[in-house]
Amino acid sequence: RGIYKTIKKVVTYLFSTSLGEVLNITGALVLGYPLPLLPSQIIWLNFVTDGFMVTALAMEPKEKGLLRGKFEKPKKWIVDGFMAKRMSVMAAVMGAGTLYLFSGYFETDLAKGWSIALTTMVVFQWFNAWNCRSDDKSIFRTNPFSNPFLVIATVMAVLAQLAALYTPFLQKVLHTTPLSLS
């Protein structure tokens, strides 16, 4: 039961973040905007940010009372209706929120727009990982230190994103520019 629940958490996280990226790019194309995320940035999102977070999410401790409750037999598909709705809502928020912030900057400073879009999507993914820890509890109702791997992964992902914005080599590869605190 614990392994099955962990797989569902990881699938929910990966599908929702990927769908958020797709909705973001599709929305930009429909609106006639330039691409808000470049190929190198998508690779950064999928390997670096997702890599840290999904590995830590897979280390989530088993839920209490897992054996006491009724366990439904896994269906043919691992994604059930609840998961699909949850992923759709999370993806819509990530895609629309990132596109909204990108739209405020790309016309005056495209590099800043890309930097803001990438950073926004990364931050959404951090929160999404924390949100995927439980099906029925808010991130504010779970002990943040019950999964120390997720805490460490979040710190590592924050440091990696800061490097993406403020390291000349990564700025060149990812087409980012430093962002001010505001």
Side-chain angles (χ1 to χ4, degrees):
R1 290 181 184 190
I3 292 170
Y4 180 71
K5 289 280 232 181
T6 299
I7 290 170
K8 287 184 77 134
K9 291 173 188 179
V10 168
V11 167
T12 301
Y13 172 78
L14 288 174
F15 280 22
S16 60
T17 56
S18 296
L19 184 58
E21 293 168 17
V22 168
L23 292 175
N24 180 20
I25 292 169
T26 303
L29 293 174
V30 167
L31 295 171
Y33 294 171
L35 288 176
L37 296 170
L38 300 173
S40 61
Q41 294 173 339
I42 294 170
I43 290 170
W44 177 262
L45 286 166
N46 290 338
F47 287 116
V48 177
T49 306
D50 281 353
F52 289 134
M53 304 312 276
V54 80
T55 303
L57 192 58
M59 305 301 276
E60 185 70 25
K62 293 181 188 90
E63 297 172 16
K64 292 183 179 168
L66 196 59
L67 296 176
R68 277 188 236 133
K70 184 182 176 205
F71 184 72
E72 66 179 64
K73 182 180 175 188
K75 297 173 181 68
K76 183 177 179 181
W77 306 102
I78 195 159
V79 177
D80 57 24
F82 175 72
M83 280 178 66
K85 288 176 191 171
R86 192 170 176 208
M87 288 186 292
S88 299
V89 169
M90 290 187 285
V93 169
M94 286 188 273
T98 302
L99 189 59
Y100 173 74
L101 290 175
F102 175 73
S103 69
Y105 292 93
F106 77 85
E107 290 180 357
T108 56
D109 187 352
L110 187 56
K112 187 173 185 178
W114 284 330
S115 300
I116 287 174
L118 176 63
T119 303
T120 303
M121 188 61 76
V122 165
V123 172
F124 274 133
Q125 290 184 357
W126 299 338
F127 281 102
N128 190 27
W130 286 86
N131 184 43
C132 287
R133 293 179 67 200
S134 175
D135 287 339
D136 57 354
K137 291 182 187 169
S138 162
I139 62 173
F140 304 109
R141 300 187 123 250
T142 56
N143 179 359
F145 300 107
S146 64
N147 184 351
F149 299 105
L150 193 56
V151 174
I152 293 167
T154 303
V155 169
M156 290 174 64
V158 168
L159 294 174
Q161 184 59 26
L162 290 172
L165 293 173
Y166 300 107
T167 304
F169 172 73
L170 288 175
Q171 286 175 342
K172 188 174 183 178
V173 171
L174 298 172
H175 303 281
T176 59
T177 187
L179 297 176
S180 67
L181 188 58
S182 64

